[in-house]
Amino acid sequence: MLDDLKSEEIKRKVLAARHLGDIAQHFGPEKTKQQLIPFLKEFEDEEEDVLIEVAGQMPALARILPSKETSIPEFLLNFQMLLSYEDYSVINAVN
């Protein structure tokens, strides 16, 4: 799945982004915090379809992390990046 997230093919990225919650579940809290959340910063200039899927998975990622860690700076930066996107479809997907 992670290879698909790094793919140049948008369809593969979209499908992989739909499973970010599953990836985080497999990784567990610590690996999600240290590897997956920082990795998502690379999606800042990504296609809208991919960002919509990432935004939709953010609540699942938050549930994986222990509650005291959901405010980690990297996680908040990802939310900020998604909420600042120009298209409202991405912003709405965060809900």
Side-chain angles (χ1 to χ4, degrees):
M1 283 287 180
L2 287 180
D3 289 337
D4 289 341
L5 286 171
K6 297 174 186 177
S7 174
E8 294 296 318
E9 294 178 42
I10 299 303
K11 288 181 182 183
R12 288 179 67 186
K13 280 186 178 181
V14 168
L15 290 173
R18 284 184 188 151
H19 296 284
L20 281 173
D22 297 331
I23 294 169
Q25 192 90 30
H26 176 74
F27 275 8
E30 197 59 34
K31 194 171 179 182
T32 297
K33 175 187 168 192
Q34 292 178 352
Q35 294 180 17
L36 187 56
I37 299 296
F39 171 73
L40 295 178
K41 284 189 240 179
E42 296 178 21
F43 285 79
E44 188 170 2
D45 296 320
E46 193 53 71
E47 295 288 327
E48 177 183 336
D49 292 342
V50 176
L51 290 176
I52 288 170
E53 296 300 331
V54 171
Q57 291 296 308
M58 292 302 280
L61 296 178
R63 285 191 294 273
I64 297 297
L65 299 170
S67 61
K68 67 180 182 201
E69 293 185 26
T70 57
S71 63
I72 58 173
E74 294 88 359
F75 193 73
L76 291 177
L77 287 173
N78 286 313
F79 263 119
Q80 183 179 20
M81 178 260 304
L82 292 168
L83 292 173
S84 67
Y85 194 73
E86 296 171 1
D87 193 306
Y88 287 111
S89 58
V90 174
I91 295 168
N92 290 334
V94 174
N95 298 325

